[in-house]
Amino acid sequence: MSDRIIIFDTTLRDGEQSPGASMNLDEKIRVAKQLERLNVDVIEAGFPIASEGDFEAVQAVARVLRKTEVAGLCRASRKDIDRAWEALREAKKPRIHTFIATSDIHVKMKLQKTHDQVREAAIQAVRHAAAYTPNVEFSAEDASRSDISYLCEVIQAAIEAGAGTINIPDTVGYAIPDEFGELIATIRERVPNIDQAVLSVHCHNDLGLGVANSLAAVQAGARQVECTINGIGERAGNASLEEIVMAIRTRHDHLGVQTHIRTEEIARASRLVSNITGILVQPNKAIVGANAFAHEAGIHQDGMLKEKTTYEIMTPESVGIKDSTLVLGKHSGRHAFKKRLEELHLDLDEEQTEKAFSSFKRLADKKKTVFDEDIEALIADEVWSLPDRYKLRSVNFSSGTGVVPSATVEMEIDGKTSTSAAFGDGPVDAVLKAIRKASKRKARLLSFTVSAITGGTDAMGGVTVKIREDGHTIIGQGTSPDIVVASARAFTNALNKLACREQTELGEKPSL
Ligand code: KIV
Ligand code: ZN
């Protein structure tokens, strides 16, 4: 059996199903390009029938990538499959991924079909997809809660119909590692034609076992793992790509398998996805958390100084975290700045480069040293921001002991200037209220997080807000050395995403 594990990344599809995490077209292309640099084998770019936005994103990613396989998700229906193929047809390596649920509860309650009807729908779907491309993946949704004999029958039929990859999802994150490993082993034993397909797994993290279940499946013979950057995804998320890949690399002695991932690109991919989606990475998150390589205890520091391997099972460099990412200061010129952009794979055209350079100069005036993370955040905030309906022209506020915090904002909305003032419990509250008034939006603030992008008292503040309006949850981000200004930017960014969503009518995804 091959020792090669295929890494199937679904950040752009399942990852995007995280509440508030929707990405626009440009953002998806940027993530896709970084995933290609990471050297993932397959990128699931979206669910083309779900919305115009998803269709366009899959099509654009399919056109842009030349090396990586691009998959589009579709239910087991001709209409879904036709639409997926339309989006994928220009891909160098297209894959149609069709699915239907096989557990009793989904078959009876959700699909309201008989088991025979579901098996027949699976066969028809795979045949229809196989008429477009030989690269067809079939998923038996909620496989881990399905009757094993029925599941094996459906898998056998799907392979006979032309599926080259069979995916076993633990859709609701219910499985326990030894049990899930056994499920994979049983499928390998009981499905007579299983050798004609790659066996894949797709584990959700509801019990915090997504990665453990995926690794148990690999030990039992699965050869494709579906995962997302930072483990984002529906509900508690999916198995995290970086944890799976680094476990496989670090414990090769025990697992005996390998991936083709360029692990040095992991940290950058993690930051990019976090910057774009606004979903922060918890500090103690394995591999990519801010504390993942921080040694606090004296005994540990002593050990590290004597011999790193005393407390370090992998190096920060191996996942792309450098000792010092200090790059530029206020005396750095255009040439050095451009070179750094190239090194960071930040693809900007001439106009964007000029804009980024001006923002960098403004930042370098306030902050002695500018780090890679500052540059990435600044570009996400000021260069790659959406075509803005709401432009924040100026923010003024006053607060302190003995004064009622107040703020005035000037915005440009659809080309017209709108100025508003408000009082608040604090300067941030006052500023957000003033923006809400000026923009005439009802958006409710659900959560507010502020973090320092790099160290030091002059660090850039990164603010993430989650807002809700008319049933839509949106995450916005803003950066500035002044956290009140960063808050205003984050709130405005969220309003622009909301406006963008209304414009493209992303709509609700069909339920999975
Ligand atoms: O979790 C799940 O079952 C899925 C399938 C569509 C693969 O995302
Ligand atoms: Zn899923």
Side-chain angles (χ1 to χ4, degrees):
M1 168 171 259
S2 157
D3 69 346
R4 163 95 148 86
I5 303 298
I6 297 165
I7 296 293
F8 176 115
D9 181 280
T10 182
T11 306
L12 295 177
R13 199 277 298 169
D14 218 324
E16 211 217 4
Q17 287 171 219
S18 309
S22 58
M23 304 176 223
N24 65 35
L25 186 68
D26 282 356
E27 292 168 338
K28 285 186 179 177
I29 293 174
R30 251 179 283 135
V31 171
K33 285 184 175 171
Q34 178 58 23
L35 291 172
E36 188 161 73
R37 263 179 231 118
L38 192 58
N39 212 23
V40 305
D41 299 285
V42 189
I43 293 176
E44 186 162 60
F47 190 179
I49 196 126
S51 67
E52 227 9 79
D54 258 49
F55 178 87
E56 282 169 12
V58 176
Q59 191 173 52
V61 171
R63 283 177 178 156
V64 156
L65 300 185
R66 294 293 87 192
K67 205 177 73 190
T68 318
E69 274 184 40
V70 181
L73 184 68
C74 40
R75 289 167 296 190
S77 96
R78 289 178 81 89
K79 227 170 103 197
D80 275 40
I81 294 165
D82 293 342
R83 189 78 176 137
W85 180 248
E86 223 182 302
L88 289 167
R89 61 189 318 151
E90 290 175 53
K92 188 106 197 269
K93 299 180 187 170
R95 176 184 292 203
I96 296 179
H97 178 191
T98 183
F99 74 97
I100 193 161
T102 50
S103 66
D104 288 358
I105 185 157
H106 278 234
V107 169
K108 287 183 201 152
M109 310 301 288
K110 184 181 82 171
L111 300 173
Q112 304 194 330
K113 288 187 191 289
T114 64
H115 286 76
D116 285 347
Q117 284 172 325
V118 165
R119 186 182 36 236
E120 194 48 33
I123 295 169
Q124 293 310 328
V126 173
R127 272 198 198 134
H128 190 56
Y132 285 127
T133 169
N135 193 356
V136 178
E137 169 167 338
F138 171 73
S139 283
E141 190 191 7
D142 207 16
S144 54
R145 293 195 300 167
S146 303
D147 173 79
I148 182 70
S149 302
Y150 176 66
L151 179 63
C152 288
E153 267 177 43
V154 175
I155 293 172
Q156 180 177 349
I159 297 172
E160 275 163 12
T165 301
I166 295 292
N167 185 37
I168 308 298
D170 182 24
T171 301
V172 290
Y174 181 74
I176 301 293
D178 62 340
E179 174 195 41
F180 196 60
E182 252 171 59
L183 172 64
I184 298 301
T186 308
I187 291 170
R188 291 186 59 215
E189 255 165 49
R190 294 196 15 198
V191 176
N193 53 359
I194 197 68
D195 289 350
Q196 293 166 35
V198 173
L199 199 47
S200 163
V201 289
H202 173 114
C203 297
H204 278 271
N205 210 25
D206 299 65
L207 294 173
L209 294 170
V211 170
N213 284 331
S214 306
L215 293 177
V218 164
Q219 288 181 289
R223 284 296 174 264
Q224 174 177 286
V225 177
E226 302 196 353
C227 43
T228 59
I229 299 291
N230 299 337
I232 64 169
E234 187 83 30
R235 305 182 309 279
N238 291 61
S240 114
L241 179 146
E242 57 279 6
E243 293 177 25
I244 289 166
V245 166
M246 290 313 286
I248 287 176
R249 178 174 154 156
T250 308
R251 295 309 312 276
H252 182 262
D253 61 319
H254 186 73
L255 297 167
V257 291
Q258 46 141 344
T259 72
H260 280 187
I261 295 296
R262 228 174 264 134
T263 60
E264 297 76 14
E265 291 292 335
I266 284 178
R268 203 195 316 275
S270 165
R271 285 201 301 269
L272 180 67
V273 169
S274 177
N275 279 341
I276 285 177
T277 59
I279 300 178
L280 301 177
V281 174
Q282 76 200 57
N284 59 328
K285 161 93 173 58
I287 319 294
V288 290
N291 297 344
F293 294 93
H295 301 270
E296 190 73 18
I299 295 177
H300 290 207
Q301 290 175 349
D302 180 52
M304 283 287 293
L305 287 172
K306 289 176 177 144
E307 166 55 49
K308 284 198 170 173
T309 55
T310 50
Y311 286 102
E312 207 167 71
I313 59 167
M314 57 200 154
T315 63
E317 293 78 18
S318 66
V319 297
I321 300 172
K322 294 179 206 111
D323 238 4
S324 165
T325 51
L326 168 65
V327 277
L328 303 166
K330 71 174 178 182
H331 300 298
S332 309
R334 212 180 241 90
H335 184 70
F337 182 71
K338 270 190 176 171
K339 189 159 175 289
R340 197 66 203 128
L341 292 182
E342 266 169 42
E343 283 160 6
L344 291 171
H345 305 307
L346 292 163
D347 259 345
L348 303 188
D349 61 28
E350 273 305 304
E351 198 185 321
Q352 290 172 324
T353 307
E354 272 314 299
K355 199 169 169 191
F357 186 64
S358 310
S359 306
F360 156 72
K361 278 290 184 188
R362 273 198 302 278
L363 179 64
D365 268 342
K366 293 191 189 138
K367 197 174 180 294
K368 248 195 356 241
T369 45
V370 179
F371 295 85
D372 289 351
E373 290 88 339
D374 292 324
I375 296 178
E376 285 170 348
L378 173 152
I379 286 173
D381 194 22
E382 298 190 26
V383 180
W384 278 330
S385 48
L386 300 166
D388 292 346
R389 169 153 191 237
Y390 303 103
K391 292 194 175 81
L392 191 63
R393 289 284 176 230
S394 67
V395 189
N396 290 291
F397 51 90
S398 75
S399 72
T401 46
V403 287
V404 180
S406 63
T408 309
V409 300
E410 188 184 298
M411 299 186 80
E412 187 189 312
I413 304 166
D414 296 331
K416 292 199 190 101
T417 304
S418 171
T419 308
S420 276
F423 293 107
D425 292 335
V428 171
D429 187 40
V431 164
L432 300 197
K433 278 181 177 150
I435 293 176
R436 201 164 24 209
K437 255 198 215 169
S439 63
K440 299 190 178 61
R441 306 248 16 166
K442 305 186 295 286
R444 215 158 40 82
L445 185 67
L446 298 183
S447 70
F448 175 91
T449 320
V450 59
S451 58
I453 289 175
T454 49
T457 49
D458 67 348
M460 283 246 280
V463 170
T464 303
V465 296
K466 195 189 257 186
I467 64 168
R468 193 163 177 81
E469 191 179 296
D470 292 338
H472 297 307
T473 305
I474 300 281
I475 293 174
Q477 286 191 307
T479 54
S480 165
D482 182 319
I483 58 163
V484 181
V485 176
S487 310
R489 287 191 174 155
F491 197 67
T492 310
N493 175 246
L495 293 183
N496 279 316
K497 283 190 176 175
L498 207 55
C500 191
R501 184 183 178 114
E502 285 161 357
Q503 223 174 32
T504 54
E505 285 179 347
L506 278 178
E508 289 306 314
K509 313 243 178 221
S511 68
L512 290 180

